[in-house]
Amino acid sequence: MKVTEQGRMSKVLLFVSSVLLCCCRTTRAEIFTSIGQMTDLIYTEKELVQSLREYIKAEESKLAAVKSWANKLDALTRVSTADPEGYLAHPVNAYKLMKRLNTEWSELESLVLQNPADGFVSNMSVHRQYFPDEEDETGAAKALMRLQDTYQLDSEAFSKGKLPGVHSNAVLTVDDCFDMGKTAYNDADYYHAVLWLQQALKQLDDGEEAVVSKADILDYLSYSVYQMGDLPRAIELTRRLVAIDPSHQRAGGNLRYFEQLLMKQLREMNQDYQPPSEEPIQLGTYSRPKDHLPERESYEALCRGEGIQMTEARRSRLFCRYHDGKRNPRLLLKPVKEEDEWDSPHIVRYLDSLSDEEVEKIKELAKPRLARATVRDPKTGVLTTANYRVSKSAWLEGEEDPVIDRVNQRIEDITGLTVETAELLQVANYGVGGQYEPHFDFSRRPFDSNLHVDGNRLATFLNYMSDVEAGGATVFPDFGAVIWPRKGTSVFWYNLFRSGEGDYRTRHAACPVLVGSKWVSNKWIHERGQEFRRPCGLTEVD
């Protein structure tokens, strides 16, 4: 009986691969949308690594025992086969042979049939329901591309972990970059496919080892470049592919088609052939396709801290003060610190509005209930998920915990508005690239049916429950305001004029989180009950 080190490792790797493949089939989707839930996966993975080590230790112990049996039996059979009759002539040897074959070999069989993997498999089975699935992986890849667009990060910087203000050892390998490009390719997003496949090719050309072949990268890259309308470069890349793999199934046909198409275009335009640029493909080589969002450029510029319309004249109109809620008894002895963030529309920030203990309690209550945040479909009125809102949220009632009741009361005291008709406290956690693109908090006419009783969303009270290392600002593209998250502070603004008409200037967005975890909670305060707290104005825009 011979057991090699290579054979043992092959067995371990085969076992682990089969378990992981099995476990990834039954998963809970959209984990990537919440950093809060993703942190659980870190500890899950650590526990699984420990379980894996225990399995390896048990497997090694088992193999050591089997080796011991093999060595002992090998020595015995060398003696017995040298002179079988002479060996069996001794009655003790005859007895021990009977015993070995009847008892000891059965014990060895039982030892070999023992499966040290049972504990590991059991542990995996417990955790498998929480594993990310293909949708999570694709969502996380698209989130990286969203960050790349918003913060104008080239693929090379991203692959080396070089993010603004952050030094990290988190790097993307050739295979990682190829998978990113392939994700975009499969979604017909050739703009991002080119950026990431080009980075994969660059790292491979620089000598980095990879599982994926250069031919596979060139195959996807050349077609993606063709889809971006760059025929000369598509031809050059396809020629490289043919040189590497002359028998490639598609390369020869693609090359002839690209060359014929280019010659036709040159004849029609009466132009001479120009060789492709020798500059590598990078951010800015091709124009990013337009999408559904008209203010995309201004919104993303604000997220980067560019285009802020804060002038000296406007800054001179901003003040800070102590606010006692019009002599509210609960604020008289300890008024809140109020800072003007913007003059018109008026946006204020309240400092120390939540304590660290309250923040942790709110997160503790919300975390088990976090679910993908939804928006109301304007056509059907049905709540649904949307790509422009990527986060997880939970709703907390005041009766659930004294902390929630206390926070609700504090919001009423600070704003002077009743929260009896307000919505529940919504808690949101933004994960990888988490964002909420420009939107209105108020409902536009015709109003949703759920607003007929309590009226429209009069005002928004937004609590920042974490600092964010990079990104994650709240921006107002209409007038160029940026509000950065500061843990323990809150911002407040009115969504409606006193007439009840919506203030369309308040269209705002939550920028993608570049680095860090963003926790917020908000209270949407409705119109009903505010008749004497915020009386109507005489004009539509009072």
Side-chain angles (χ1 to χ4, degrees):
M1 185 176 295
K2 187 176 181 182
V3 182
T4 66
E5 183 72 18
Q6 184 178 3
R8 185 171 81 247
M9 287 308 300
S10 298
K11 182 178 179 182
V12 171
L13 291 173
L14 179 63
F15 164 74
V16 173
S17 299
S18 64
V19 172
L20 287 174
L21 287 170
C22 173
C23 293
C24 286
R25 294 192 185 111
T26 307
T27 60
R28 187 156 54 92
E30 299 173 340
I31 296 172
F32 76 96
T33 56
S34 167
I35 288 290
Q37 291 183 331
M38 287 175 67
T39 54
D40 292 340
L41 295 180
I42 296 291
Y43 296 106
T44 295
E45 188 173 41
K46 181 179 180 181
E47 183 179 335
L48 290 175
V49 169
Q50 180 60 34
S51 182
L52 178 60
R53 290 191 180 281
E54 291 172 359
Y55 157 69
I56 293 172
K57 186 176 179 181
E59 191 76 69
E60 288 175 339
S61 175
K62 170 185 168 181
L63 288 173
V66 173
K67 280 183 179 180
S68 176
W69 274 95
N71 292 335
K72 182 177 72 173
L73 293 170
D74 188 45
L76 282 171
T77 53
R78 274 201 304 269
V79 173
S80 62
T81 55
D83 180 12
E85 289 189 10
Y87 177 83
L88 291 173
H90 198 295
V92 172
N93 288 338
Y95 164 72
K96 293 191 72 172
L97 175 64
M98 297 300 103
K99 180 185 177 186
R100 281 199 304 275
L101 292 175
N102 181 55
T103 304
E104 296 181 8
W105 274 95
S106 296
E107 292 175 359
L108 179 58
E109 181 183 22
S110 298
L111 176 62
V112 171
L113 290 175
Q114 284 179 10
N115 189 0
D118 288 343
F120 182 58
V121 171
S122 176
N123 201 11
M124 289 286 290
S125 299
V126 171
H127 293 295
R128 71 176 58 179
Q129 59 182 316
Y130 303 110
F131 272 30
D133 61 7
E134 187 173 349
E135 182 181 358
D136 282 302
E137 183 180 345
T138 299
K142 290 181 178 179
L144 291 188
M145 297 174 204
R146 183 161 56 246
L147 292 173
Q148 182 179 27
D149 293 339
T150 304
Y151 299 104
Q152 295 185 343
L153 304 169
D154 63 71
S155 302
E156 184 171 9
F158 231 131
S159 70
K160 293 180 179 179
K162 294 181 179 178
L163 302 181
V166 178
H167 300 283
S168 172
N169 293 325
V171 296
L172 294 172
T173 64
V174 170
D175 296 298
D176 292 332
C177 293
F178 176 73
D179 288 339
M180 288 281 293
K182 197 172 175 183
T183 295
Y185 182 96
N186 291 337
D187 205 33
D189 177 7
Y190 300 108
Y191 171 77
H192 288 107
V194 166
L195 292 176
W196 286 101
L197 292 169
Q198 171 66 33
Q199 182 59 31
L201 182 61
K202 181 181 183 301
Q203 291 179 209
L204 196 63
D205 285 341
D206 288 344
E208 185 178 319
E209 294 184 0
V211 175
V212 64
S213 69
K214 184 175 291 189
D216 282 340
I217 298 175
L218 287 167
D219 186 19
Y220 281 93
L221 179 57
S222 59
Y223 188 78
S224 298
V225 168
Y226 156 70
Q227 286 290 345
M228 292 304 295
D230 190 348
L231 274 172
R233 201 186 295 262
I235 290 170
E236 180 207 8
L237 291 166
T238 309
R239 284 173 178 166
R240 286 185 63 182
L241 173 56
V242 171
I244 292 173
D245 186 2
S247 62
H248 192 278
Q249 185 177 0
R250 292 177 300 277
N254 284 352
L255 181 58
R256 289 189 294 273
Y257 174 73
F258 294 159
E259 290 175 335
Q260 292 170 3
L261 188 59
L262 179 61
M263 291 301 106
K264 179 182 177 183
Q265 289 181 0
L266 292 175
R267 284 195 303 269
E268 291 174 350
M269 299 170 65
N270 195 26
Q271 292 181 350
D272 295 327
Y273 172 75
Q274 297 292 331
S277 170
E278 294 182 2
E279 290 293 319
I281 300 171
Q282 55 191 354
L283 201 67
T285 299
Y286 302 121
S287 298
R288 182 172 150 206
K290 300 291 183 182
D291 65 3
H292 65 281
L293 196 62
E295 67 263 67
R296 169 72 63 190
E297 290 184 9
S298 60
Y299 151 58
E300 292 183 348
L302 288 170
C303 289
R304 297 190 297 270
E306 303 168 6
I308 302 173
Q309 301 300 312
M310 178 59 75
T311 63
E312 287 304 316
R314 170 166 282 124
R315 196 184 306 277
S316 68
R317 296 192 291 270
L318 304 181
F319 300 92
C320 58
R321 63 192 71 83
Y322 283 104
H323 175 74
D324 63 8
K326 296 181 180 179
R327 300 190 64 75
N328 184 293
R330 280 178 287 269
L331 298 179
L332 276 176
L333 293 178
K334 190 181 180 182
V336 294
K337 302 169 187 174
E338 181 183 80
E339 295 179 350
D340 291 329
E341 286 281 352
W342 208 259
D343 56 344
S344 181
H346 194 205
I347 304 174
V348 296
R349 187 194 294 263
Y350 297 104
L351 278 59
D352 304 322
S353 54
L354 285 178
S355 68
D356 289 346
E357 292 75 16
E358 289 171 332
V359 165
E360 292 308 311
K361 188 62 180 180
I362 292 171
K363 288 163 63 174
E364 177 190 326
L365 293 170
K367 196 171 180 180
R369 309 185 207 174
L370 288 173
R372 178 70 184 267
T374 58
V375 296
R376 193 172 295 279
D377 189 312
K379 295 181 180 178
T380 65
V382 176
L383 290 174
T384 183
T385 60
N387 290 332
Y388 59 82
R389 188 181 190 187
V390 183
S391 65
K392 287 200 171 183
S393 63
W395 300 83
L396 302 179
E397 298 189 44
E399 294 79 9
E400 294 183 46
D401 193 277
V403 167
I404 307 303
D405 190 49
R406 187 163 67 243
V407 169
N408 288 339
Q409 182 63 58
R410 187 177 302 139
I411 293 172
E412 180 168 311
D413 294 341
I414 291 173
T415 63
L417 302 172
T418 180
V419 295
E420 289 299 318
T421 56
E423 296 176 42
L424 301 180
L425 187 70
Q426 180 183 219
V427 182
N429 181 219
Y430 294 82
V432 179
Q435 64 163 4
Y436 193 175
E437 289 182 354
H439 62 282
F440 300 103
D441 279 353
F442 64 87
S443 291
R444 290 163 287 170
R445 300 180 188 277
F447 293 150
D448 297 332
S449 58
N450 66 315
L451 299 179
H452 288 165
V453 176
D454 293 328
N456 211 337
R457 288 172 174 170
L458 172 67
T460 297
F461 196 96
L462 177 63
N463 301 307
Y464 292 115
M465 302 198 303
S466 66
D467 294 312
V468 180
E469 292 179 59
T474 304
V475 300
F476 294 78
D478 187 77
F479 50 90
V482 177
I483 299 175
W484 300 101
R486 284 157 55 191
K487 184 179 179 181
T489 69
S490 306
V491 292
F492 173 76
W493 69 86
Y494 282 103
N495 299 305
L496 307 178
F497 292 111
R498 288 181 178 272
S499 64
E501 292 298 318
D503 186 345
Y504 283 79
R505 298 174 300 172
T506 61
R507 183 171 168 86
H508 60 286
C511 295
V513 175
L514 181 57
V515 181
S517 176
K518 181 182 177 184
W519 284 88
V520 298
S521 59
N522 68 277
K523 197 79 170 173
W524 280 312
I525 301 171
H526 283 246
E527 291 178 285
R528 184 184 171 198
Q530 320 300 348
E531 293 83 357
F532 298 102
R533 296 173 183 250
R534 194 190 189 229
C536 291
L538 298 178
T539 67
E540 186 175 305
V541 293
D542 278 351

